[in-house]
Amino acid sequence: MSAKLSIGVYAYEHTEALFDGRVVVDGAEAEFETAPLVSDIFRRTVEGHYDLAELGFTYFLRTFDLDDAPFLALPILPNRNFRHSAIFVNTASGIEKPRDLVGRTVGEFTLYGHDAGVWPKGILADEYGVTPDQCRWVIGGTNHPIPACDWIPQPVPDGVDVRHAQDGQTLGAMLDPARSTH
């Protein structure tokens, strides 16, 4: 008798073979589940929905702030992206170089300091001297509004101004020069 496993992983191009059965988990009846956003998988993981799941590293580290940290991490990295291309600028903003971000509002997807947000912050600080406390941060969904991720601790460094997008706001619309009010 093989073990039954519920596995949560985003449907990336490179995980497609798991979902269509070309790749199997030896010794287990694996049922794969995905979601519209990878953060939805993370939430369901933290809520205990899966036996095994993808969980962003910064989300994993945040579970240490829970009363009983419930996870063991394995070094399997299904999401590998080049984060240097993760900064987009409103063309009407007058921002021409990284230093121009000082005093500006910067959007970040899902929550402050998530995996994809750590890299650009590090690059801005290390390469250009622009530190998070020099900007205002708004957290939200890119193309559709998302609620605050209240299912995981969200520490914010002292002196950093962070707020969640208002109801109905998206980061994409705030960035669009034709629709932006910032």
Side-chain angles (χ1 to χ4, degrees), residues 13 24 42 45 52 76 78 82 98 110 133-134 139 143 162 177 181:
E13 180 179 300
V24 297
F42 299 168
T45 301
L52 177 70
I76 302 168
F82 187 68
T110 309
D133 61 316
Q134 296 174 317
I139 309 306
N143 298 319
V162 179
T181 59

Side-chain angles (χ1 to χ4, degrees), residues 79-121:
N79 185 356
R80 296 180 181 190
N81 290 309
F82 187 68
R83 300 295 182 192
H84 290 67
S85 63
I87 299 173
F88 301 88
V89 177
N90 178 324
T91 57
S93 68
I95 296 170
E96 295 178 8
K97 58 189 178 296
R99 195 83 194 132
D100 294 339
L101 292 171
V102 172
R104 301 296 188 105
T105 300
V106 179
E108 185 169 355
F109 180 70
T110 309
L111 60 92
Y112 180 84
H114 74 300
D115 296 12
V118 170
W119 280 101
K121 283 184 193 73

